Amino acid sequence: MAEMIRLDKFISSQRGDISRSDVKRLCAAGKVTVNGSAKVKSDMKIDPDDEVRVDGEKIEYKKFIYIMLNKPQGVVCSTRDGLSPTVLSLIPENMRRSGLFPAGRLDKDTEGFVLITDDGEFAHKILSPKSHVPKRYFVRLERPIGEEYAEKFEQGIFLDGEKCLPAQLEKGEDERCCFVTLHQGMYHQIKRMFEALGNKVTYLKRLSIGNIQLREDLLLGGCIEIMHKEIEKIAY
Ligand code: URA
């Protein structure tokens, strides 16, 4: 049997639009049922496998949520920022819950795949310097790609005296575009790697994390939930 959980916690953790005090009110109004019974109290303990309904609508219990966001430029990868919108502000109401945070950062002017979750252990696993989960980016540059770039990336570029892990560069559709795969996440890494070769990144987008690709039909600013089975492809 799964660990018992308070009814108000259970409902509010799964539904960002219902607070714990709302649950109390809804219980008193007879709008919450547990296994068909409306004789419930907000502080009662339930099994997460129990059937809980609010206004007749079944609450699907998920211990953790994993969200793929297609981050637009101008949005920051932190949970709070006084000036700019954060990635959390883009999460739709039905996916919101407490404890969400971005598992890894993109620069404010970088677009693409940001994974947002409330699963700290999982995030720790993929963010650990030991994990080397590959991340693939599309890059546009100010000047044409040099013939030597791919080899230099593979050998490991030095950034402030620190040698980067080998990275892969594949040419794109024209001489200023390419795809880069990193196996670590240093500060402004791709921009600094190209800077070290005398070039400049003018546009950057993250396309994948591990085996999970950014959905092509996901508009900038859009979110979709990644199922648990699929998320396992990243780090297990
Ligand atoms: N490398 C960068 O320079 N910026 C990012 O946002 C990600 C990788």
Side-chain angles (χ1 to χ4, degrees):
M1 195 167 81
E3 205 179 314
M4 303 289 274
I5 181 170
R6 270 176 65 130
L7 180 60
D8 51 2
K9 188 170 177 198
F10 175 93
I11 295 174
S12 63
S13 69
Q14 304 303 303
R15 286 275 304 265
D17 54 338
I18 304 179
S19 69
R20 286 202 194 190
S21 48
D22 290 337
V23 175
K24 195 168 182 182
R25 205 173 29 76
L26 288 162
C27 286
K31 296 196 167 172
V32 178
T33 59
V34 177
N35 298 328
S37 166
K39 275 195 173 166
V40 296
K41 282 188 145 186
S42 61
D43 61 354
M44 72 188 273
K45 291 253 181 151
I46 61 151
D47 182 323
D49 289 333
D50 287 339
E51 189 192 87
V52 177
R53 290 180 183 268
V54 175
D55 270 335
E57 195 183 319
K58 190 163 181 239
I59 307 287
E60 295 292 347
Y61 182 68
K62 287 176 223 136
K63 193 164 179 197
F64 298 117
I65 191 169
Y66 308 90
I67 299 165
M68 172 187 289
L69 164 71
N70 188 1
K71 184 183 104 57
Q73 294 183 358
V75 173
V76 293
C77 278
S78 62
T79 47
R80 250 181 250 184
D81 188 283
L83 302 169
S84 310
T86 71
V87 286
L88 295 187
S89 68
L90 299 176
I91 306 288
E93 189 102 305
N94 63 337
M95 294 184 196
R96 277 194 197 164
R97 40 157 114 191
S98 60
L100 284 177
F101 65 96
R105 286 169 185 252
L106 290 181
D107 297 337
K108 188 172 171 180
D109 59 357
T110 301
E111 286 180 7
F113 186 0
V114 176
L115 179 65
I116 296 171
T117 186
D118 53 354
D119 183 348
E121 201 178 315
F122 170 79
H124 179 73
K125 225 182 244 175
I126 66 162
L127 295 176
S128 145
K130 287 189 204 136
S131 86
H132 308 313
V133 171
K135 299 188 182 87
R136 190 162 185 262
Y137 295 83
F138 170 77
V139 187
R140 197 172 292 135
L141 297 162
E142 197 171 75
R143 279 184 292 287
I145 296 158
E147 281 305 319
E148 74 286 13
Y149 285 12
E151 200 182 326
K152 292 238 160 106
F153 275 24
E154 198 56 65
Q155 286 165 351
I157 300 269
F158 279 89
L159 298 179
D160 293 332
E162 197 180 333
K163 192 176 181 193
C164 298
L165 289 176
Q168 291 69 49
L169 181 147
E170 306 147 58
K171 287 189 176 162
E173 63 201 4
D174 67 48
E175 58 183 3
R176 287 180 171 77
C177 294
C178 61
F179 298 91
V180 172
T181 304
L182 297 183
H183 303 266
Q184 65 190 139
M186 287 160 70
Y187 182 66
H188 294 332
Q189 185 166 346
I190 293 192
K191 292 174 185 159
R192 289 162 68 213
M193 283 165 64
F194 281 103
E195 238 168 65
L197 299 175
N199 212 325
K200 189 171 188 281
V201 171
T202 57
Y203 174 81
L204 187 58
K205 177 171 188 151
R206 182 151 71 196
L207 303 176
S208 64
I209 303 178
N211 292 327
I212 302 190
Q213 321 278 334
L214 178 68
R215 285 256 303 256
E216 279 181 21
D217 57 352
L218 189 61
L219 299 176
L220 273 176
C223 289
I224 50 158
E225 201 180 328
I226 307 175
M227 293 303 129
H228 199 272
K229 247 197 263 152
E230 208 181 338
I231 205 76
E232 288 180 350
K233 291 195 215 158
I234 292 190
Y236 293 97

